[in-house]
Amino acid sequence: MAETSEPIPVSAIQHWCYCPRQCLLIHAEQAFAENVHTMRGQAVHERVDQAGVETRAGVRTARAVPLWSDRLGLVGKADVVEFLADGTPYPVEYKHGRKGRAAKGVHDHLQLAAQALCLEEMTGKGVAVGAIYHATSHRRREVTIGSVLRTQVAETVVAIRQALAAGTLPPPVNDERCRECSLIDLCQPAPLAAQARQKELACRLFVADD
């Protein structure tokens, strides 16, 4: 089946990296549900979701910046973009939680890298670094937008396009990620994983008897 040519939301990259099934539930089936994590995230984004521009100490800061990349076929919005004196953009992605959880945030790095690639195409300026702002600890973690992240963004966009075109939900992961997912009741990871396991065992018994 042909890949969809519709633009991919930048947020889908984070969702896919966290869990492909979650990504398809959100972006193909338009499923959404609240939990404590989504509500905390909304609270963190309350201010930066209001578009505006301010300048301090020679740095122009824009909030809720529209993003796009014709090359990658991406659209989205950056929480905050700081523009240095020469116009170089510095994207800042807001997340609830503490800086100490950085090791678990690879999906956040990809989302930030996707924003950087969009900003490069939009402004013609190279974006070598950006930052994740951790609202709970009020601290930033700088992320280098290197070749590995850039390649991963491009590969992820292709994977999402192919999955959307196929129109089939990936199987549930049924691991520790599910406990924090607001879509756990819609996804049903434990029952579906148990059914898949039963089918696998039944297949093995059938082969053994044969």
Side-chain angles (χ1 to χ4, degrees):
M1 189 178 294
E3 294 181 13
T4 175
S5 60
E6 291 296 315
I8 301 295
V10 170
S11 60
I13 292 174
Q14 181 204 31
H15 295 144
W16 179 271
C17 185
Y18 186 80
C19 170
R21 185 176 176 86
Q22 181 200 66
C23 179
L24 268 290
L25 282 169
I26 293 172
H27 297 282
E29 300 195 359
Q30 307 300 311
F32 183 76
E34 294 278 20
N35 69 2
V36 65
H37 301 293
T38 61
M39 288 188 286
R40 284 174 179 169
Q42 287 175 7
V44 166
H45 285 86
E46 198 168 89
R47 180 169 182 270
V48 293
D49 280 345
Q50 299 176 12
V53 179
E54 60 185 36
T55 301
R56 292 182 183 178
V59 176
R60 183 166 60 92
T61 300
R63 300 186 302 274
V65 179
L67 299 173
W68 65 87
S69 167
D70 292 333
R71 180 176 68 85
L72 292 171
L74 288 172
V75 293
K77 182 173 66 174
D79 291 337
V80 168
V81 179
E82 296 174 353
F83 292 91
L84 306 183
D86 66 351
T88 298
Y90 183 94
V92 182
E93 175 66 17
Y94 278 53
K95 298 293 180 185
H96 74 81
R98 296 185 177 277
K99 185 180 177 182
R101 299 189 65 188
K104 298 182 180 180
V106 176
H107 44 285
D108 295 335
H109 292 188
L110 279 184
Q111 183 180 13
L112 186 69
Q115 294 176 9
L117 292 175
C118 289
L119 287 165
E120 285 184 341
E121 188 172 324
M122 293 164 58
T123 66
K125 297 281 188 178
V127 182
V129 290
I132 306 290
Y133 175 76
H134 297 271
T136 301
S137 55
H138 303 287
R139 295 181 67 186
R140 286 187 179 189
R141 173 167 49 86
E142 193 162 85
V143 177
T144 299
I145 314 299
S147 59
V148 173
L149 277 179
R150 291 167 182 269
T151 299
Q152 288 177 329
V153 168
E155 292 174 347
T156 302
V157 171
V158 171
I160 294 170
R161 286 192 184 285
Q162 291 174 341
L164 288 170
T168 303
L169 281 176
V173 293
N174 193 35
D175 61 18
E176 66 277 2
R177 286 171 287 180
C178 301
R179 290 195 295 270
E180 296 188 352
C181 181
S182 66
L183 300 182
I184 187 169
D185 291 334
L186 294 170
C187 177
Q188 295 289 300
L192 289 176
Q195 289 176 17
R197 180 61 177 163
Q198 287 174 353
K199 288 180 180 178
E200 181 185 352
L201 290 173
C203 240
R204 289 181 180 178
L205 287 172
F206 178 79
V207 170
D209 290 342
D210 192 48

